[in-house]
Amino acid sequence: MAKYTIHKAATRGYADHDWLKSYHTFSFAGYFNPERVNFGSLRVLNDDYVAAGRGFGAHPHQNMEIVSIPLEGKLAHKDSTGSEGVIQKGEIQFMSAGTGVTHSEMNGSATEAVKFLQIWIVPNKMNITPRYGQMEYAVNDNEIKTLIQPETAEGTLRLQQNAWFKMAKFDSSKETTITVEDPKNNGIYIFLLSGSMEVDGNSMETRDAIGIWETENVSIKTNDKSEFLIIEVPMNQN
């Protein structure tokens, strides 16, 4: 029988540094909740706002898969591998920190704020050579689009983990089924970016999230036009 954990938007940790406003789904920095440390290999899901012209200066990471998904505005990235670029909504970026990377993430605009998701996944192999990549994507109405998967494939990115990232957009009053790619080992975590829907009968509103494991399929029914992120990860964190 499927198991569930529900994280309502209002229960997230919150940090306000003026130029940075960040909601933490899981324990992060000054926010610690022993019941909200991770969902399997999913360790961090931060919902960030960065003011114009500001950002995170150069800082190190090691042995973590880091994914950035802009929701509004532009996000500028630069790291010690020599990779740099600017991404915006409709693009996704990853960095496999491996043996160690120093990077910065700055607002790519001097006049407009940037809003983005920063997501950390624990890798299944430590001390790999750092990697970096980004791509554009488009999600049609009433489609679930795969952005990241474990194997190299055209039109997707690959992390150092048995993980999938999918973005979905559905009109109101639509029903669909999400199939778990590796139901024996993985669970899925659904983060509702906008809208309202039912997940296996559980009500979700904007910025709510739900984790489901020990199941092969999950049913979705939208109440309003909805956009949501699906993250599938191993539940044993290896």
Side-chain angles (χ1 to χ4, degrees), residues 89-160:
K89 184 173 174 60
E91 295 181 277
I92 183 172
Q93 171 194 93
F94 83 91
M95 181 178 68
S96 294
T99 53
V101 170
T102 298
H103 83 141
S104 62
E105 283 183 304
M106 307 294 292
N107 189 327
S109 170
T111 58
E112 297 180 354
V114 61
K115 298 179 181 178
F116 69 102
L117 301 180
Q118 180 181 159
I119 301 163
W120 295 9
I121 305 289
V122 178
N124 57 17
K125 184 178 181 180
M126 298 295 166
N127 299 317
I128 66 170
T129 300
R131 295 188 304 118
Y132 162 87
Q134 67 183 58
M135 71 173 193
E136 297 180 1
Y137 67 91
V139 184
N140 296 320
D141 290 339
N142 307 312
E143 178 189 25
I144 298 175
K145 177 78 170 181
T146 299
L147 307 180
I148 291 173
Q149 57 185 0
E151 303 299 329
T152 301
E154 185 176 355
T156 62
L157 302 174
R158 176 181 64 85
L159 298 183
Q160 187 60 50

